[in-house]
Amino acid sequence: MGIFVIRRLVELVPTLILVSILTFTLVRLVPGDPIDVMYGLEGADKETRAAMEKTLGLDQPVVLQYVLWAGRMVSGDLGFSYRARVPVATLIGQRLPNTLMLVFASLVIAVMIAIPLGVLAAIRRNTLYDFGAMATALVTLSVPPFASGIALVLVFGLMLGWLPTMGAAPPGSGVMGTLRHMTLPAVTLAMGLLGVTMRLARSTVLEELGLDYVRTARAKGLAERWVIYRHVLRNSLLTVVTFVGLQASYLVGGAVVIEVVFAWPGVGSLVIDAILARDYPVVQAVILLVAVLVMVVSTIVDLTYPLIDPRVQLT
Amino acid sequence: MARSAVRPPEPDTLQISHRSRPSLISDLLRSKKAVISLGMLTAVVMVAVLAPVLSPFDPSKVQTGPFFAPPSSLHPLGADNLGRDVLSRIIWGSRVSLLAGLLVSSGALLLGVPLGLLAGYLGRSADTVIMRGMDVLFAFPPVVMALTFAAVIGLGTRTVLLALVLVYTPSVSRVTRSAVLGVRAQAYIEAARTLGQRDRWIVLRHILPNSLGPVIVQATLIMSYAILSEAAISYLGLGTQSPEFSWGLMLSDASDYMWMAPYLALWPGLAIMLVVFTFNFLGDGLRDILDPRQRSVLRGE
């Protein structure tokens, strides 16, 4: 197990390096140099420009610039925001917990609702319930998450006035306050995951139900409930859990949009403001952070296989 | 509780497995899902193509009626904050959405299929290099990649489409690769190789056609993802820019006036849903036809 974990982590390194090169290159391709962007329309005079080039390391060869930049990123120095005039790490530090909280909450909501509904659809296949559940799943798959967000704001925020629709809870509003503020954005983000998880849970369970060992279990007189709980679910949930874990990419990407809909102060709204303000150090750091997060989560999902399914050997 | 595990295979499954040359068209016509979704798709494509004829007003023309006019016989879907006809804007907006779906999935196919073929057929270091490269692209969520491109190249529909092609390429190459791996292990490939056929011939003549089923399903699904992503990015203000039309952009405008005219957000939302639903439904139908294993699972056999 230990060796496998280390090997997976080592395998991550080349991908991480490629991702960082891609991020670095993309932002380097921005038309106009960073000093022009920093000084805006007035522009910088020759001396200031030379001094800034030296400070920012722009007078060095590109490869060296990348190495220096990557070294700074690894050591936690994510650069300095042109606009907010504070270190990017500080900005991300303020915003990241909000995004992670939102992503985690929506993951919990999606899993708690979708897996039972999908499993039930498989057990009661070809009934009215199954048909209804799958039709609902297909519809939720087709609604853009931000549009359902707008609808929720309209109904629960503006018409009924039950829940806050903008921003996170102010400090000191307690657990209930936090939950109240988080409900609408988390439900919206979860909706995008609901349909696809339901369908997958259904098809995985169905596939498992058709296998020989299920027939054997039934033939030996095991109660259907036990067949489902002890055998079928145990074996089919692996696929579903893996799949949900791999949706980290969807959730983080979706969070960017949902944060804007609900003015949620996370990294998503941070990066959009940064793009519109051409605040490149922030853009670069957030994009790198998102890509790294997605890769790390996928690796963790890989590593959890044997916990759920002892048949999977970590070699 | 159903005991389908011991049920004999249904007659039509037997027919399919006995048929020597399955015809895609007759399969398509027999699948209700495929027929319904193809009908819906044809309708949407007609609306997009005939936009100049169908739309009652010039979609950019302001003050065709009162601001925020509610739905009426003159403006069946109402008028927006500048008095522009919403129906005309919805009709024209279908072009961007369909174009996004079509271009992104064709682009992803053009890049992803050859890469997946190479990785799957060559194996070894070619496989590792190609698939690691795909992992890198896969680490970027579609919206985030599009945002990066918007920052680098500038805002606009073209930028978004380019970014989406790149993020959806890995999923095509992965599906192609795994299909190729499945086909490559078949006895007839071994036979072709023993007969001394060239690699290129084997790949193009045998492996590619037999791997295409799952790839086509994936391409259909990419169309729906691409439409959703384009709408989301335009909603954020980083995709299609005014005065062009996009349903995402309409939703973005509408959300500013939500308390005055909630129906302004309703129409573009429904339009996106309908088109994405069509592609999802088509994908389901095609999967039923092209992927027999999935078909029997989904039917509960």
Side-chain angles (χ1 to χ4, degrees), chain B residues 116 173-183:
Chain B
S173 67
R174 281 182 182 188
V175 170
T176 312
R177 174 178 174 272
S178 71
V180 168
L181 287 181
V183 174

Side-chain angles (χ1 to χ4, degrees), chain A residues 26 125 199 206-207 215 287, chain B residues 4 148 152 284 293 297:
Chain A
L26 279 174
R125 62 184 160 282
R199 282 159 58 117
L206 274 183
E207 197 168 350
R215 189 172 48 185
I287 288 168
Chain B
S4 60
T148 317
V152 176
D284 277 8
R293 193 186 72 103
V297 168

Side-chain angles (χ1 to χ4, degrees), chain A:
Chain A
M1 175 84 191
I3 295 171
F4 179 77
V5 172
I6 292 169
R7 219 184 72 189
R8 281 291 297 160
L9 293 179
V10 171
E11 272 176 16
L12 229 125
V13 173
T15 322
L16 272 175
I17 292 176
L18 284 174
V19 165
S20 70
I21 291 178
L22 187 65
T23 316
F24 179 80
T25 320
L26 279 174
V27 178
R28 286 277 313 184
L29 291 175
V30 168
D33 69 61
I35 297 166
D36 288 337
V37 176
M38 280 174 85
Y39 283 86
L41 288 177
E42 316 127 46
D45 58 57
K46 246 185 180 167
E47 282 160 30
T48 325
R49 171 174 288 276
M52 278 311 286
E53 275 183 354
K54 211 169 170 88
T55 321
L56 296 174
L58 293 174
D59 52 347
Q60 309 283 351
V62 177
V63 177
L64 187 63
Q65 281 185 40
Y66 165 74
V67 173
L68 291 174
W69 172 78
R72 284 199 302 271
M73 289 283 141
V74 171
S75 67
D77 174 8
L78 305 182
F80 201 79
S81 160
Y82 299 157
R83 200 174 58 130
R85 308 264 167 200
V86 288
V88 176
T90 313
L91 284 179
I92 291 181
Q94 291 165 352
R95 303 289 196 106
L96 188 62
N98 286 332
T99 299
L100 292 181
M101 205 157 69
L102 184 62
V103 166
F104 183 72
S106 59
L107 203 59
V108 171
I109 296 172
V111 166
M112 301 253 286
I113 298 176
I115 293 187
L117 290 182
V119 171
L120 202 62
I123 297 171
R124 300 194 183 161
R125 62 184 160 282
N126 301 334
T127 61
L128 202 60
Y129 169 79
D130 181 20
F131 180 76
M134 286 306 109
T136 314
L138 196 59
V139 170
T140 60
L141 267 180
S142 311
V143 183
F146 64 97
S148 43
I150 295 174
L152 289 178
V153 167
L154 201 64
V155 176
F156 291 98
L158 297 181
M159 290 180 183
L160 299 171
W162 287 354
L163 288 164
T165 58
M166 287 291 171
S173 37
V175 178
M176 277 316 285
T178 310
L179 286 180
R180 272 172 56 83
H181 275 84
M182 205 162 63
T183 306
L184 287 184
V187 167
T188 308
L189 192 54
M191 273 166 75
L193 202 54
L194 215 61
V196 65
T197 314
M198 267 169 79
R199 282 159 58 117
L200 186 78
R202 176 182 182 273
S203 69
T204 322
V205 168
L206 274 183
E207 197 168 350
E208 206 67 28
L209 278 173
L211 295 180
D212 287 346
Y213 79 91
V214 175
R215 189 172 48 185
T216 313
R218 283 176 180 150
K220 74 178 182 188
L222 200 61
E224 187 66 25
R225 192 192 309 170
W226 281 110
V227 176
I228 304 277
Y229 282 125
R230 295 217 26 192
H231 298 294
V232 172
L233 284 191
R234 219 189 147 128
N235 289 326
S236 49
L237 283 188
L238 173 71
T239 318
V240 183
V241 169
T242 311
F243 169 80
V244 171
L246 293 176
Q247 299 307 302
S249 166
Y250 157 75
L251 283 173
V252 175
V256 172
V257 188
I258 301 304
E259 283 178 8
V260 173
V261 177
F262 292 95
W264 184 259
V267 287
S269 42
L270 177 70
V271 74
I272 292 192
D273 290 345
I275 287 174
L276 293 173
R278 302 170 80 77
D279 194 351
Y280 294 113
V282 177
V283 177
Q284 206 167 24
V286 172
I287 288 168
L288 186 64
L289 179 81
V290 166
V292 170
L293 262 181
V294 169
M295 283 194 306
V296 169
V297 171
S298 315
T299 310
I300 294 175
V301 172
D302 265 5
L303 293 176
T304 52
Y305 286 168
L307 296 180
I308 307 168
D309 188 347
R311 289 173 306 179
V312 176
Q313 293 284 317
L314 292 180
T315 45

Side-chain angles (χ1 to χ4, degrees), chain B residues 2 4 22-23 34 36 45 49 52 55 83 126-127 130 135 144 180 234 284 295:
Chain B
S4 60
S23 139
I36 295 174
V45 171
V49 172
S55 65
D127 187 20
I130 293 174
D135 283 351
V144 173
V180 168
S234 296
D284 277 8
R295 166 176 51 203

